[in-house]
Amino acid sequence: MDDLEKKEEELYAKAFNDGYYLQRFKPELANKISETPHVHNIYLQTFNDGREAYLDEVKDRLRDFTHVPPSQSQDKDIDRGMDIDR
């Protein structure tokens, strides 16, 4: 790996991490930066890759958190219909 490739890789990692962490801790700022016109700006494109990676993780965690397996929801419905005789 030559120096140019190493610098490009470091820039990619920095831009990706910048996007990821700004979206996590300063989402308003990350959104403003992402709206910047950047047709050929590699840094901002990579910044958006990191930003979107964080958003995807949040969506996955939310989906996992709110997902109730079918077997559990059916058991709850069955329990609701049963009365305890006293």
Side-chain angles (χ1 to χ4, degrees):
M1 179 183 294
D2 64 357
D3 287 340
L4 180 59
E5 288 176 341
K6 187 175 180 180
K7 286 182 181 183
E8 286 177 353
E9 189 174 300
E10 289 172 358
L11 178 62
Y12 181 89
K14 178 173 178 10
F16 186 93
N17 290 336
D18 288 348
Y20 184 95
Y21 287 108
L22 270 180
Q23 184 61 41
R24 182 173 180 187
F25 296 109
K26 300 277 187 179
E28 300 86 15
L29 179 58
N31 290 335
K32 283 186 177 186
I33 292 171
S34 72
E35 294 169 358
T36 304
H38 57 277
V39 176
H40 296 291
N41 187 325
I42 299 299
Y43 179 86
L44 288 176
Q45 289 174 349
T46 307
F47 176 92
N48 279 330
D49 290 344
R51 190 176 149 275
E52 290 173 15
Y54 176 76
L55 292 172
D56 288 343
E57 285 182 17
V58 170
K59 287 176 190 173
D60 289 343
R61 279 189 246 141
L62 183 60
R63 184 176 29 246
D64 291 344
F65 181 74
T66 59
H67 177 71
V68 177
S71 63
Q72 287 183 358
S73 65
Q74 290 172 354
D75 292 344
K76 289 180 182 178
D77 292 339
I78 292 170
D79 291 342
R80 285 187 199 139
M82 299 179 70
D83 291 332
I84 298 175
D85 295 329
R86 293 187 187 228

